[in-house]
Amino acid sequence: AYRRLRDDILTGALAPNSKLLMRDLQDRYQLSVAPLREALSRLASSGFVSAADQKGFSVGQISAAEIADITAARLHIECKALADSIRQGDVEWESRVLAAHHRLDRLTIVEGPERLLKPEWEHAHEVFHQALISSCNSPTLLRLCSALRDQTARYRFLSMHYKESSQRDVPHEHRQLMDAALAKDVDKACELLSSHYQTTTDSVLKHALLV
């Protein structure tokens, strides 16, 4: 229940700020009330769902202020994790990064005229970025990176709908980032990571009708 609800929120199948009525959810997912309530509670704790007294649940709203704030926090925290990971990375870390990039680089990013982000690419993309920071020895930093990555996922799906995203060479950005990390060039890797994330955010802020 959690996975299916989360996926539909990330892709926009469940629109921001829309009501999540229990009867409708039961019909949509063919699930009982108990697992749906548990899933909604978990999603509320991570900000994907809003819960109001006496009003039930609704999909969390997206906003310009939120994506700008999340991106700023993510750049600060994940660049620190990346720097630590590069400095401490060994042969096993290099192997993880290379393997994750190999898979990501061979997958198609979007499908259809609507330019929908393909789930298998999104998963491989997450694995690649996790691999880059996997040698960071701070569990707290890694947890924060994971939480912020989740919070930006809806905006990443949204950014793919814009025409200019088709002109962006995302695979090249990933190859540059991998090469800098494996070369142990901390400054360049952090600069490339920041640009990679900020470009997505700037595209959303430029095109989306956000509150």
Side-chain angles (χ1 to χ4, degrees), residues 4-187:
R4 292 174 65 187
L5 274 162
R6 180 180 179 275
D7 287 349
D8 281 350
I9 291 171
L10 289 181
T11 60
L14 293 172
N17 216 31
S18 61
K19 295 292 185 182
L20 296 171
L21 302 176
M22 195 58 64
R23 183 175 299 175
D24 293 342
L25 295 178
Q26 286 179 276
D27 291 341
R28 181 185 183 99
Y29 299 109
Q30 294 298 298
L31 293 169
S32 62
V33 171
L36 287 169
R37 284 196 180 279
E38 181 178 350
L40 289 169
S41 295
R42 286 180 61 191
L43 288 163
S45 69
S46 58
F48 288 116
V49 166
S50 297
D53 292 339
Q54 309 302 320
K55 293 185 178 180
F57 296 96
S58 61
V59 178
Q61 198 168 31
I62 59 176
S63 70
E66 181 185 60
I67 184 57
D69 182 52
I70 292 172
T71 301
R74 190 179 185 191
L75 294 182
H76 180 73
I77 291 168
E78 194 158 332
C79 282
K80 168 62 176 170
L82 178 61
D84 289 352
S85 184
I86 290 172
R87 293 188 181 104
Q88 298 169 86
D90 54 13
V91 173
E92 293 301 320
W93 168 76
E94 292 177 358
S95 299
R96 288 195 297 274
V97 172
L98 284 165
H101 179 265
H102 180 80
R103 175 167 176 74
L104 177 64
D105 198 44
R106 279 151 181 76
L107 293 173
T108 304
I109 301 176
V110 297
E111 60 185 347
E114 301 87 1
R115 294 188 53 78
L116 298 176
L117 196 62
K118 297 190 73 171
E120 57 266 37
W121 184 90
E122 171 65 11
H123 175 69
H125 183 246
E126 180 176 346
V127 171
F128 172 66
H129 281 281
Q130 286 176 335
L132 284 169
I133 62 173
S134 61
S135 280
C136 172
N137 62 5
S138 169
T140 301
L141 274 179
L142 293 175
R143 281 196 301 271
L144 289 170
C145 287
S146 178
L148 291 169
R149 185 182 302 118
D150 276 352
Q151 290 300 316
T152 57
R154 284 199 292 172
Y155 296 95
R156 185 162 56 255
F157 274 87
L158 186 61
S159 73
M160 289 298 171
H161 296 314
Y162 310 133
K163 182 180 179 180
E164 67 184 33
S165 71
S166 65
Q167 301 166 350
R168 181 181 173 188
D169 194 348
V170 174
H172 179 64
E173 292 177 25
H174 287 142
R175 283 192 293 274
Q176 284 187 309
L177 181 53
M178 178 191 68
D179 289 344
L182 295 179
K184 300 287 188 176
D185 190 336
V186 171
D187 290 341

